[in-house]
Amino acid sequence: MSASVRLVKPRVLFVSKPIVAPFHDGTKCLVRDIASHLDAVHPVVMATAGATAPLGSGGAPAWEVAPVYASSGHFTPSLRENLRAALWVGARSRADVWHFVFAPNPRSSAVGRVLRTLRRTPVVQTVASPPRDMNRPEKLLFGDVVVAQSRWTAERLRAGYPDGGSAPRLEVIPPPVPTIERRSPEAVAQVRRSLQLEEDAPVFVYPGDLEVSSGAERVARLVAPLTEREPRARVVFAYRQKTPRADEIARGLAARLDPGKVRFSKHLGDILALIQGAAGVLFPVDDLWGKVDLP
């Protein structure tokens, strides 16, 4: 007599910000891209009530949605939303593995450590972006396995442990880059028109934050010599309003620069269409805090 055995895939809960649009946040994109390409496990992502998962290649939802959060929030969930998430994970999660994906800080990591101890659930912890201070990694890392997205981050986390032997298992896995659909000529032309860019103007794009690192300031100093050498060139600062300071900084930069040579756009609808039609991307990065390790 033969019996058929149905294998049940392990359930993996991604503990993160709500995985709902808009996807202009590195942590959201990281979870979305990993969860939508998993075959050996059953992914569960934290979202909002009414959120739906995209369909996978087989026509079934790419992941299971857990309606944890009250709203999609902004780049940093509120204390109340974080509390909702912690209570849900501690009391309602039935996953076999928890995969925490966030920029570690002592308070959130302490909560994760307590939840892991109480529920005795195996934990993978991905360092979504490097913390400001890596001198005391034992206050930040609590996973059975910790994933850093660059050797730079992994080496600095290891160096924070005095003897090295007390460090957790630390793996380096670069962030995924999914296949990007090529934009149509009409889409490229439309985004240029929306920014009032001349059809034949060579466009240079700064697609970064204004208030984190000195990237925007460095590009601002480049505008004058660049446009003196190529008068038709235009520089677009395509930024996110990551904090309330972003618009203030944008106004300050705009006041210093030739308005005919620069454009500022907040949360551009299709930044990839702009980049596809650009002559170059200007993205100097001197600080990885608040960013995916490979921007």
Side-chain angles (χ1 to χ4, degrees):
M1 180 182 295
S2 62
S4 61
V5 178
R6 185 172 68 90
L7 299 178
V8 178
K9 293 181 179 180
R11 294 165 60 84
V12 176
L13 171 68
F14 286 84
V15 184
S16 69
K17 301 173 184 179
I19 307 305
V20 294
F23 287 100
H24 53 214
D25 179 289
T27 301
K28 286 185 176 185
C29 293
L30 180 66
V31 173
R32 177 198 62 188
D33 296 339
I34 293 175
S36 59
H37 290 84
L38 292 176
D39 293 322
V41 300
H42 178 77
V44 182
V45 306
M46 300 169 71
T48 55
T52 58
L55 296 181
S57 56
W63 58 65
E64 178 185 339
V65 174
V68 175
Y69 291 98
S71 68
S72 58
H74 200 54
F75 292 100
T76 303
S78 67
L79 181 60
R80 175 177 294 183
E81 291 286 62
N82 282 334
L83 180 59
R84 286 173 64 102
L87 291 174
W88 192 93
V89 172
R92 300 184 61 183
S93 170
R94 297 297 178 263
D96 301 287
V97 176
W98 292 338
H99 188 166
F100 285 79
V101 185
F102 65 96
N105 61 80
R107 184 177 64 187
S108 296
S109 295
V111 172
R113 189 175 294 108
V114 169
L115 292 173
R116 174 194 173 196
T117 301
L118 291 175
R119 292 290 304 273
R120 299 182 181 180
T121 302
V123 168
V124 176
Q125 181 187 4
T126 289
V127 179
S129 62
R132 283 196 182 276
D133 186 352
M134 291 191 262
N135 291 323
R136 297 290 303 276
E138 71 277 6
K139 292 183 175 292
L140 304 172
L141 306 182
F142 60 92
D144 298 285
V145 178
V146 176
V147 177
Q149 298 183 84
S150 71
R151 288 192 298 272
W152 183 90
T153 296
E155 289 167 0
R156 279 152 183 79
L157 289 172
R158 288 194 186 101
Y161 288 89
D163 56 2
S166 57
R169 176 182 166 189
L170 192 57
E171 301 286 347
V172 177
I173 303 177
V177 179
T179 301
I180 297 175
E181 180 182 351
R182 187 166 180 81
R183 270 45 179 179
S184 67
E186 293 76 15
V188 174
Q190 172 59 36
V191 74
R192 289 175 72 103
R193 284 195 299 269
S194 71
L195 294 169
Q196 298 182 324
L197 295 168
E198 297 84 349
E199 187 175 335
D200 63 342
V203 175
F204 294 85
V205 182
Y206 172 73
D209 301 326
L210 300 185
E211 67 272 55
V212 180
S213 85
S214 64
E217 177 60 34
R218 293 184 181 208
V219 173
R221 292 200 297 264
L222 181 65
V223 170
L226 174 64
T227 55
E228 286 174 7
R229 183 169 180 174
E230 174 49 82
R232 296 179 304 125
R234 302 291 180 263
V235 178
V236 178
F237 292 81
Y239 69 98
R240 307 175 296 175
Q241 189 182 20
K242 197 164 189 178
T243 71
R245 293 182 56 235
D247 289 343
E248 177 186 348
I249 294 172
R251 287 191 294 269
L253 292 174
R256 291 164 42 195
L257 301 172
D258 183 343
K261 305 296 186 182
V262 298
R263 305 287 188 273
F264 290 84
S265 178
K266 178 173 61 177
H267 299 315
L268 191 65
D270 191 352
I271 192 171
L272 294 179
L274 177 64
I275 288 175
Q276 181 173 305
V281 174
L282 309 177
F283 202 179
V285 174
D286 60 0
D287 181 356
L288 290 178
W289 182 80
K291 305 177 186 68
V292 175
D293 268 15
L294 301 179

